[in-house]
Amino acid sequence: MDPRVREHAEIVVEHSTNVEAGDNVQIVAPPEAEDLVVALYEKLGERGANPAVSLGSDRALRAFKRASDPADFELPSHRMASIEETDVFVSVKAAANTNEGSDVEPETNAAYRRAVKPIGETVMSEKRWCGTQFPAAGNAQDAEMSTEAYEEFVYRAVNKDWEAQREHQERMVEVLDPASEVRIVSGEGTDLTMRVDGMVTENDHGENNLPGGEVFTAPVPDSVEGEVHFDKPVMAQGREVTDVSLSFEGGEVVEHSAEKNEDVLRAALDTDAGARRLGELGIGMNRDIDEFTYNMLFDEKMGDTIHLALGMAYEETVGEDRERNDSALHMDMIVDMSRESRIEVDGEVVQRNGTFRFEDGFEE
């Protein structure tokens, strides 16, 4: 077996989820990721844990959604029961065809998200969990890389010194956590302000998400004002949505457009009441992710970017006295901050053209 796969499994088990003897560990992975599942089972055996694996199949899920009446979707109680008995949950992404669900109606996907929402909420709030990526050929195709080049890209981003990454990102946490207001300016299409006072800034260094590499918080829901243009595409429901522009007033999206697949964007915004508000501001800081690959697990961590998520705010980012934006949607979209861009925190420029004020080369 490729030694990089075993190193990947070791990071998941020891760093990301800290598996202990006797833990019930549930792994959801597609067939393309079997090597990583095998390596995970080896590490879990060494730790005295109790693993179980479930097949993740985009083809099967597509077939189910297309055959179903969305009005019939309900919470699958047997899946919830399994989650309740789980101590550690590991989700592995890998695809033979990343567009497998592209012919499922957006409204059907929205209805399904609403039905299974409690499962995700339980995992994220009550369990130790990690979502990660195995470098499958389908994902390499999306990234326009050979399989070998994509493997090198993935392992460079994943198999790294996460303590050093944490220390680097902590400097941005120290700037953002006590802040009151953030302004994002990029090119002619983005000038957005939001309050973050009372919210909590998190340092993602490869625990819940592997790879990690971002600092993130939640905006005060009704505080977002202005316009944003997302100049990187987003893959949603198996379809590419490009050149998304949103206008906010009083925290809500009041105008929206997309160059391609605007119906997917519209359906996402109509998921529920919280889908028209922002649930996350994230700042990408993993400089080993230096190419856009149509995979949000990596793309949102890319250096010289920020991302904003429509919908659900993570509980850990919401202060005790603050409202949490609740939604079945969490849709990340990316702004390139490498040129004609700046991040202001309480009126002070803390990043210009991708360079932070605590880095060499920062221009006042």
Side-chain angles (χ1 to χ4, degrees), residues 130-186:
C130 175
T132 192
Q133 176 76 48
F134 183 80
N139 303 103
Q141 275 191 314
D142 275 359
E144 298 183 344
M145 297 180 186
S146 68
T147 303
E148 181 178 352
Y150 187 65
E151 289 172 351
E152 292 174 355
F153 168 81
V154 168
Y155 292 126
R156 186 170 66 248
V158 169
N159 296 349
K160 60 187 295 177
D161 183 342
W162 287 108
E163 179 57 26
Q165 185 71 29
R166 185 198 65 77
E167 292 176 358
H168 171 62
Q169 293 174 181
E170 191 63 26
R171 301 174 75 177
M172 190 61 204
V173 173
E174 292 169 358
V175 171
L176 191 57
D177 198 46
S180 295
E181 185 178 86
V182 177
R183 183 184 182 194
I184 308 293
V185 179
S186 182

Side-chain angles (χ1 to χ4, degrees), residues 258-269:
E259 183 70 22
K260 181 179 180 182
N261 287 322
E262 187 173 357
D263 61 324
V264 175
L265 174 64
R266 186 179 307 112
L269 289 166

